[in-house]
Structures are given as C-alpha cells and as structure tokens.
Amino acid sequence: VDRGIVLANLTHTPRDMTFFARFFRLVWGGDVDRALRPVLGVSLAGSIAGSSAYPFLGIWAIKDLHAPQSTLAVSYLVGAVLAGGTGYVGGHLSDHVGRRPLILAGWGFQALVPLLLLSVGHRIDLGLVLLALLPVFGSLGGAADQAMVADLVPPERHEAAYASVRVAANLGVAIGP
C-alpha cells in the first residue's frame, strides 16, 4: 500500500467524520454503495466471530471431549466439503426462496451450534458432528449474503462490490484471532 495514499485518506477527510467513518473510508475508499454497507458489516462481524471461535473449538474438542486429532481432522474435512456444497446450493436456492430466509436460517442455526455444544457433555461423536455443521450453516448464510450483492448494486459495480465484501471477510479473519 502506498503510504502517501493512506496518509492522504486520513488527513483529507472532513473534520466532522467519526473514527469509524474514517476507518471505513481508509479500508474501502469513498465509493462504496450505501446499500452495500449492511452486507459489509454482516460479513465483517461474521468473519470476526468465526475466526475467533473456530480455532478454540478444536482445542475444546481435544482437551474436553478427548477427541483424537485424526478424528477431529476428518470432522473438519467433512464440514469443509459440506460447506462448499451448501454454499453452492444455498446461492441457487436463494434465487427461488429469497435471500432473507436463507440468511436467517444459516446465521440462526450457526448461532445455535455453540449453544448445543454446551449440552454435548463428553459425547465425542455428537460434538464432532456439531463442529462439522458449524461451517455448513455459515456457508448457507454467507451464500445468500453474497447473492444479495448483485441485488443491491448496479451491474457495472458488481466487481468492486464483491471485492469490498471479500475485503470485509478477510479483515474480519485478521481481526478475530
């Protein structure tokens, strides 16, 4: 990143801008469509939450459930493969059912999984199944979020809009841990 551009963005902003507004402008620039900002916020918050919790869930599975590392690895692999399929199907399904129901279902079920993990006790199989479902539900909500981008911005701005959402997700992963 060119330091001059960064400094120019920080110093040439109106005095009445809040810290958050300056940070937003620094990261995404000044030309992000207003309708896209809620999607960026959800993407940022979701990736912060996921990247904060997911690594520690593996430690929990090994330390508290006494799950073998190889079994945990298989659980993560199954979850990743299912998440890929769910994301693909969820994107297409959101065209027919609508974005909001799938976002609500995906993020809602993803929020329930940690609560269900509290009731697992020492049942390894149940705990690992729930760990595998966590990215599946996140993928469902994320696919509908991504599909919403095309609904919110004009076609000539799609590339920049998808890039902005990707920046939000990557920034969240960096902030989370």
Side-chain angles (χ1 to χ4, degrees):
V1 174
D2 184 12
R3 288 178 61 148
I5 293 173
V6 170
L7 291 174
N9 280 340
L10 287 174
T11 58
H12 290 94
T13 55
R15 296 275 182 228
D16 60 343
M17 287 183 78
T18 65
F19 172 77
F20 179 75
R22 285 183 183 187
F23 177 75
F24 186 89
R25 189 173 194 179
L26 175 66
V27 173
W28 285 282
D31 60 344
V32 173
D33 292 285
R34 193 176 248 340
L36 189 62
R37 291 181 183 177
V39 175
L40 295 177
V42 167
S43 181
L44 179 66
S47 61
I48 288 172
S51 66
S52 296
Y54 209 64
F56 297 105
L57 290 174
I59 295 170
W60 167 80
I62 292 171
K63 298 276 185 188
D64 290 349
L65 286 183
H66 305 289
Q69 290 181 6
S70 59
T71 309
L72 177 62
V74 170
S75 176
Y76 278 167
L77 177 63
V78 168
V81 170
L82 290 175
T86 302
Y88 180 77
V89 171
H92 287 291
L93 190 59
S94 72
D95 290 336
H96 302 289
V97 176
R99 315 284 191 236
R100 290 181 184 167
L102 288 179
I103 291 171
L104 181 62
W107 296 129
F109 285 128
Q110 189 178 30
L112 287 177
V113 169
L115 296 175
L116 294 173
L117 287 172
L118 293 173
S119 66
V120 166
H122 291 287
R123 294 176 295 214
I124 295 172
D125 294 339
L126 182 58
L128 294 180
V129 165
L130 287 172
L131 281 180
L133 288 176
L134 194 61
V136 171
F137 293 131
S139 181
L140 181 64
D145 277 348
Q146 287 286 325
M148 188 181 288
V149 172
D151 299 340
L152 296 174
V153 297
E156 63 274 2
R157 301 271 308 136
H158 280 182
E159 183 179 353
Y162 284 113
S164 295
V165 172
R166 191 74 233 151
V167 166
N170 290 343
L171 182 63
V173 168
I175 291 171

